[in-house]
DNA sequence: ATTCTAACGCAACAGTCGTCGCTTTAGGGA
DNA sequence: TCCCTAAAGCGACGACTGTTGCGTTAGAAT
């Protein structure tokens, strides 16, 4: 997570960039240590050694902070695992999701919660997810090349079918993490995909 | 939505019940008219013609109000539609979900948002959903009886697989409502179920 | 080196949220 | 009918959030 990203304003060098780096780092640290409820603008500002008004002016609210954090995080070089089978790839993906959602501190949940309070955070989180799904398209491509899938399979639908149950159980239904939920959801989606559920008009 | 439910306290008659009815009705009306952001304890109290502290003492926060509202709503006689086919039943269910989430005012979204702020609201919402899933079990039973499904299909898994993509797309990913999302998600889940994805160990 | 200005620091402010101690009232029981 | 008490009313309070006007500073331009 590089913190040297240049600010987009007209004075990128020196202080602005430094303040941004300090504040974003403080945001992440505060979120990790005290969860979403402990994530107030005041706490972040104090932790970053910066005045409250500076944060309010540049980021508007906590949602803005998280959005900025997410934009930076989205630029990492993440790629889906390549296990050799469609079901294996989807399972690995779901296991990452499960680990992320069930993690302590609940970073993902905090971001989702924030997205309900801040349109800015919501946009950033959705962009992050869409980017992730786009990167995962290769999973379907590989499966097609191996002959595991009918040609023309719509990767996004397949990926949503595979991952949605994990999010749904953990985030919305609040069921305790089931260690083989990732595999069963992946298997179900792979089965449907092989049967052609995501091809055709 | 009957508002004559008796309060569970030790003084059920008269004032307590009247206040509860007034406050719950005001909560619903305020939510419908001004959305979740306009749903403050103060606004509800004023609307109900009741003092702020009364609301804070009996319901603690907005989450408590919504939880109480949900408990009342869960007692309706809702039943899943019976269309004659598994896929039809699941599609109808998904269409109800889509309508609920995409509705204006966004009642469902407001409840979900509240569940991230209030553990009480979260519990109530989850109980509501589990109750709905339990009532939907009959969909799988009917399908089994028609020979559409292998015996021993786990209804909850099937229902989650069918409905999760709808919630995921609309609530988390924020994609605009796709009118045939309900049908495609239902078809996918039904396909997997027929192939035995939800049977066995 | 000097100047100029975008960005930050600062203090005071209004608005909101949730709590507390006390008083008043309604309604159930004798 | 009278009393007793659970519940509601009331005002004040502290904590937090977000804004504004103004002074200060760092660093970019020349």
């Amino acid at each position: 997570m590089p913190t040297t990203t240049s600010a987009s304003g007209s004075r990128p060098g020196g202080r602005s960039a430094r303040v941004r780096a300090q504040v974003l780092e403080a945001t992440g640290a505060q979120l990790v240590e005290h969860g979403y409820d402990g994530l107030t603008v005041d706490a972040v500002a104090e932790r970053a050694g910066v005045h409250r008004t500076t944060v309010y002016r540049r980021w508007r609210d906590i949602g803005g902070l998280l959005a900025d954090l997410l934009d930076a995080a989205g630029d990492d070089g993440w790629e889906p695992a390549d296990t050799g089978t469609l079901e294996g790839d989807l399972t690995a993906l779901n296991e990452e999701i499960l680990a992320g959602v069930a993690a302590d501190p609940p970073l993902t949940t905090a971001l989702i919660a924030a997205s309900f309070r801040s349109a800015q955070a919501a946009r950033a989180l959705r962009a992050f997810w869409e980017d992730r799904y786009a990167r995962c398209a290769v999973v379907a491509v590989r499966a097609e090349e191996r002959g595991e899938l009918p040609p023309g399979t719509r990767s996004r639908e397949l990926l949503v079918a595979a991952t949605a149950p994990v999010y749904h159980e953990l985030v919305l239904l609040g069921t305790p993490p089931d260690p083989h939920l990732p595999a069963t959801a992946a298997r179900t989606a792979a089965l449907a995909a092989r049967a052609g559920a995501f091809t055709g008009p």
Side-chain angles (χ1 to χ4, degrees), chain A residues 10-189:
Chain A
S10 59
R11 189 163 286 185
R15 190 162 60 161
S16 292
R18 197 163 55 242
V19 164
R20 189 176 111 111
Q22 285 168 4
V23 169
L24 289 190
E25 197 206 309
T27 303
Q30 188 71 13
L31 184 56
V32 162
E33 288 178 26
H34 301 285
Y36 182 62
D37 289 331
L39 190 69
T40 71
V41 172
D42 283 37
V44 169
E46 195 186 355
R47 181 168 199 143
V50 156
H51 203 267
R52 297 167 3 93
T53 42
T54 297
V55 179
Y56 279 116
R57 269 195 277 253
R58 283 187 58 172
W59 287 276
R60 181 174 178 85
D61 58 16
I62 335 156
L65 282 171
L66 291 172
D68 202 354
L69 208 58
L70 263 178
D71 285 342
D75 289 337
D76 64 357
W78 185 87
E79 282 186 11
D82 185 356
T83 65
T85 66
L86 173 63
E87 198 176 318
D89 286 359
L90 295 176
T91 300
L93 177 61
N94 274 349
E95 269 163 1
E96 280 194 58
I97 292 171
L98 180 112
V101 174
D104 188 75
L107 237 163
T108 306
T109 312
L111 288 169
I112 295 172
S115 77
F116 281 97
R117 292 208 215 180
S118 155
Q120 212 177 344
R123 269 195 306 276
L125 185 56
R126 284 159 190 174
F128 177 82
W129 271 327
E130 289 303 336
D131 177 65
R132 286 291 197 250
Y133 279 125
R135 291 183 197 217
C136 285
V138 67
V139 166
V141 173
R142 287 196 300 242
E144 279 191 31
E145 287 170 353
R146 284 189 298 258
E148 279 191 277
L149 283 182
T153 297
R154 290 181 295 275
S155 65
R156 191 179 183 285
E157 269 182 58
L158 163 60
L159 290 162
V160 167
T163 58
V166 179
Y167 282 109
H168 195 237
E169 288 281 6
L170 296 177
V171 177
L172 297 187
L173 298 182
T175 50
D178 173 359
H180 31 65
L181 174 60
T184 57
R187 185 158 34 86
T188 303

